[in-house]
Amino acid sequence: MMMAKREVQRERRIFYIALLLVPVMVAPAHAGHEFGPLGPYNVSFDMNTTENYTVVVEAPTQGRTSAGINFTRHNLTVDGSDHFIFLVLTRYDEPMLANVTANAYVVWDTLMNAGASKPVIYQPLIDGKPGVLGRFRFERQDLGGGRYEEGDLIVAASYSPDGREDEDGIYRGYTDCRVISTFPWDVIRDMLNTLHVQVPER
């Protein structure tokens, strides 16, 4: 009888220890800290998701704006099993307009091209800089393109990691950072809240 009682107590201790260990073992699967180079930049952010994903860095591309300003573009994709994030860093040879109006145009245009109508626009700080964020949830009447299902969320954001106000009072930056995502809101919110782009010295 005494042996049976001790065995029960031992089993309980093992059970309680197991319960204490479960959160420790599960926690890393819920969040991943991503850090690495993207061209001349160092980019870091957290992915608060249990969804399997891979981070893909593409080769840089070059181009020229309609005003004749050269730029280099660096793309990073977070490719999940059901969702994605595109992060695009564009570095211009000359400082470009990077105020709220310019970022709002980028976000609005990105979401409209993705099939959204009447997205909701916000003006949060992103990476400590003034930015613009837009979000749109597809409803039944928005599904004509066939790319999304009812209830799907799409989010776009834009800001300049090296933006600053020049002597003429206009906010400009050499680098534009754009993000577009179909991950759930809590995932992309946490990603943007932890996003940091380390800009190389000129």
Side-chain angles (χ1 to χ4, degrees), residues 40-91:
Y41 305 92
N42 284 318
V43 176
S44 64
F45 54 87
D46 291 342
M47 287 296 296
N48 183 22
T49 180
T50 56
E51 182 176 330
N52 291 328
Y53 65 87
T54 56
V55 178
V56 180
V57 175
E58 301 176 18
T61 57
Q62 282 78 37
R64 179 175 294 187
T65 69
S66 58
I69 299 171
N70 294 325
F71 63 82
T72 302
R73 184 160 287 156
H74 305 275
N75 296 338
L76 178 151
T77 302
V78 178
D79 191 7
S81 52
D82 296 310
H83 306 94
F84 67 81
I85 295 174
F86 295 143
L87 187 150
V88 181
L89 287 173
T90 306
R91 186 167 180 86

Side-chain angles (χ1 to χ4, degrees), residues 45-161:
F45 54 87
D46 291 342
M47 287 296 296
N48 183 22
T49 180
T50 56
E51 182 176 330
N52 291 328
Y53 65 87
T54 56
V55 178
V56 180
V57 175
E58 301 176 18
T61 57
Q62 282 78 37
R64 179 175 294 187
T65 69
S66 58
I69 299 171
N70 294 325
F71 63 82
T72 302
R73 184 160 287 156
H74 305 275
N75 296 338
L76 178 151
T77 302
V78 178
D79 191 7
S81 52
D82 296 310
H83 306 94
F84 67 81
I85 295 174
F86 295 143
L87 187 150
V88 181
L89 287 173
T90 306
R91 186 167 180 86
Y92 298 94
D93 286 354
E94 299 179 21
M96 304 289 285
L97 190 64
N99 60 14
V100 169
T101 302
N103 286 315
Y105 174 80
V106 169
V107 168
W108 185 271
D109 190 57
T110 299
L111 290 175
M112 295 297 282
N113 286 334
S117 62
K118 299 181 180 178
V120 180
I121 302 294
Y122 306 91
Q123 297 178 21
L125 289 178
I126 304 175
D127 196 6
K129 300 284 186 176
V132 171
L133 180 147
R135 56 185 287 190
F136 179 79
R137 193 172 297 278
F138 287 87
E139 298 179 7
R140 189 178 300 275
Q141 66 267 23
D142 306 307
L143 303 178
R147 288 179 289 177
Y148 302 99
E149 296 180 3
E150 186 175 0
D152 283 354
L153 176 72
I154 186 164
V155 173
S158 178
Y159 80 104
S160 176

